[in-house]
Amino acid sequence: MIVLKAAQEKLLEALQSVAGIVERRHTLPILANVLLRKNGPVVELTTSDLEIQVRTSAELGGDEGHFATTVGARKLIDILRALPAEQTVTLSSAQNKLTLAGGKSRFTLQSLPADDFPLVNEAVDFGPTFSVPQKTLRQLINQVHFSMAVHDIRYYLNGILFIAEGKTLTLVATDGHRLALAQGTLETDVPNRQEVILPRKTVLELQRLLKDEETPIEMRFAGNQAKFAFSGLEFVTKLVEGKFPDYNRVIPRNHKNALVVGRAALLGSLQRAAILTSEKFKGVRLNLEPGVLRIASSNAEQEEAKEELEIDYTGDAIEIGFNVTYLIDVLANMQQEMVKIELQDTNASALFTVPEQTGFKYVVMPMRI
């Protein structure tokens, strides 16, 4: 049976949209495969890692009738990438094998039964549907994702907190040393507060798939799952269980010293100073005085870097240390020209915001240098 007959680029695009979650090595070999379900000219492609499931449909031609099988997702993608983009490819099935043909190239691939593919059992208690433009959610994730913890034993930090309430969508991420919060406006009102923690892998996959366009992404949350629908994709994921820290207690209030500085200039100075920080601590000293910000770093080899920025500042003289990576992360992921920094003293956390934009906050703890 001819499962599909389509342009190489059309098949490749459909496969790449679902294959991001596929692990090359897995305890269950079938999870390295993509599930192909044929219903006439329409083929449904599904991948799963037991915690996340991604599905899309595409009109890919082939014979009439119904058919289902699974085949190695990465191998299929690697082959398609190696074939010319404008070529028509055919995928046909016979005797537990699939043959991919394009031009004078033929590849025979092992398949596994579709009935053995472990689909995610979807929750039945999903809450209301709400949506934002894909562009908006992509921007919100970009503003906070770098603050997620990595392999922290406090498993609830290895992801992003999503809160939908009223017309506001809030994303929060923290690793215990810094915290990022970003807010956007929902297209419809959410009557009851919806709050979930999305796992790190889910966040990074959404970041990869979301497009910089106004078309909406629809979201629904259940007790242990979240479901997203956008660009012809259906994305279901397990949630991180646990109680996220009270982020409002971490955000400083009423710091008396504030400065507004050009983001690009500050980022450049910090990136240069970072070159001579110690590999282990990555510390930089910020020395703030009226009219000037000095940045200094040093390492075990007694090498030093010094930077100086002219600033509009009339507050207290403050010397404070930070992990330079935490400062570079936030500045590199912002788009705005100016950044506002609020400080209290040497020992208090610093608050980074954007002038005239209330929806973004970044808190970073100081370090002793």
Side-chain angles (χ1 to χ4, degrees), residues 270-279 282-284 296-306 324:
L270 289 167
Q271 286 171 330
R272 291 188 292 273
I275 297 167
L276 295 186
T277 56
S278 71
E279 283 295 317
K282 291 286 180 189
V284 292
S297 65
S298 58
N299 58 30
E301 287 80 41
Q302 298 186 332
E303 297 169 324
E304 286 185 324
K306 292 183 179 178
V324 71

Side-chain angles (χ1 to χ4, degrees), residues 24 33 130 190 217 238 248:
R24 281 193 187 271
N33 286 13
F130 51 94
V190 179
I217 172 168
K238 279 189 179 178
N248 281 311

Side-chain angles (χ1 to χ4, degrees), residues 37-161:
R37 275 197 194 284
K38 180 176 177 58
N39 185 6
V42 177
V43 178
E44 188 181 83
L45 298 88
T46 307
T47 57
S48 170
D49 69 355
L50 298 181
E51 302 210 335
I52 305 170
Q53 180 174 292
V54 188
R55 176 179 290 149
T56 190
S57 295
E59 198 160 311
L60 297 171
D63 292 343
E64 286 299 316
H66 302 273
F67 178 75
T69 189
T70 77
V71 65
R74 298 286 183 193
K75 285 179 186 171
L76 199 51
I77 286 175
D78 288 346
I79 291 167
L80 286 166
R81 278 183 179 149
L83 290 171
E86 68 283 351
Q87 197 168 78
T88 297
V89 295
T90 303
L91 192 66
S92 51
S93 169
Q95 299 174 338
N96 297 330
K97 285 192 165 58
L98 287 175
T99 301
L100 180 72
K104 294 187 177 180
S105 304
R106 286 173 65 84
F107 305 86
T108 303
L109 300 165
Q110 186 70 47
S111 62
L112 292 170
D115 291 342
D116 295 344
F117 194 84
L119 294 168
V120 170
N121 290 323
E122 291 189 22
V124 292
D125 58 338
F126 279 104
T129 301
F130 51 94
S131 63
V132 291
Q134 287 190 53
K135 182 178 183 179
T136 301
L137 184 58
R138 190 166 184 251
Q139 287 171 347
L140 294 179
I141 291 175
N142 286 345
Q143 288 178 315
V144 303
H145 78 278
F146 50 85
S147 293
M148 287 187 290
V150 183
H151 304 311
D152 198 299
I153 55 168
R154 297 165 295 178
Y155 50 89
Y156 48 83
L157 298 184
N158 301 316
I160 289 182
L161 177 70

Side-chain angles (χ1 to χ4, degrees), residues 198-209:
L198 290 188
R200 181 182 180 85
K201 184 175 179 180
T202 298
V203 170
L204 298 178
E205 190 58 16
L206 279 175
Q207 197 176 21
R208 183 183 78 86
L209 292 171

